[in-house]
Amino acid sequence: LVSLYLTFPVTSATAERSFSSLRRLKTYLRSCMTSKRLNNLFLLYTQQGITDSIDIDVVAKEFILANTRRRNYFGTFD
C-alpha cells in the first residue's frame, strides 16, 4: 500500500496550470479556432521562455523570402 501511495503524484498543480492557461487562450472570440491552431498557440504560450528568445526579424525575413509572391507583396526585407 505504501509503494502504491508513493507512485501517485503529490500535486496536480502542473496539470491545473496547463488547463488554466488553455482556458485563458480558448476565449469566446477564439471559439471557432481549429484544434491544430489552438494546440500550436498553447505550445507557444506555455514555452514563453523559448519563444521570447526568437528573433522576429529573422523569422519575418525567412517568411518573406520563401516565395516570389510574398517578396512582391511585402517588398525587400532590409
Side-chain angles (χ1 to χ4, degrees), residues 6 48 58-59 74 76:
L6 293 175
Q48 286 181 4
V58 173
V59 174
F74 293 106
T76 58

Side-chain angles (χ1 to χ4, degrees), residues 27-38:
T27 61
Y28 175 76
L29 295 174
R30 295 186 179 123
S31 63
C32 61
M33 185 183 300
T34 63
S35 62
K36 182 178 179 181
R37 183 175 176 148
L38 180 65

Side-chain angles (χ1 to χ4, degrees), residues 32-78:
C32 61
M33 185 183 300
T34 63
S35 62
K36 182 178 179 181
R37 183 175 176 148
L38 180 65
N39 288 339
N40 291 336
L41 183 61
F42 182 65
L43 182 64
L44 288 173
Y45 181 77
T46 56
Q47 300 298 324
Q48 286 181 4
I50 296 170
T51 56
D52 287 343
S53 66
I54 295 173
D55 187 8
I56 297 173
D57 291 332
V58 173
V59 174
K61 185 176 182 179
E62 288 179 13
F63 176 78
I64 292 169
L65 297 177
N67 64 35
T68 329
R69 185 174 179 185
R70 291 180 189 160
R71 281 191 296 261
N72 292 336
Y73 185 78
F74 293 106
T76 58
F77 192 89
D78 295 333

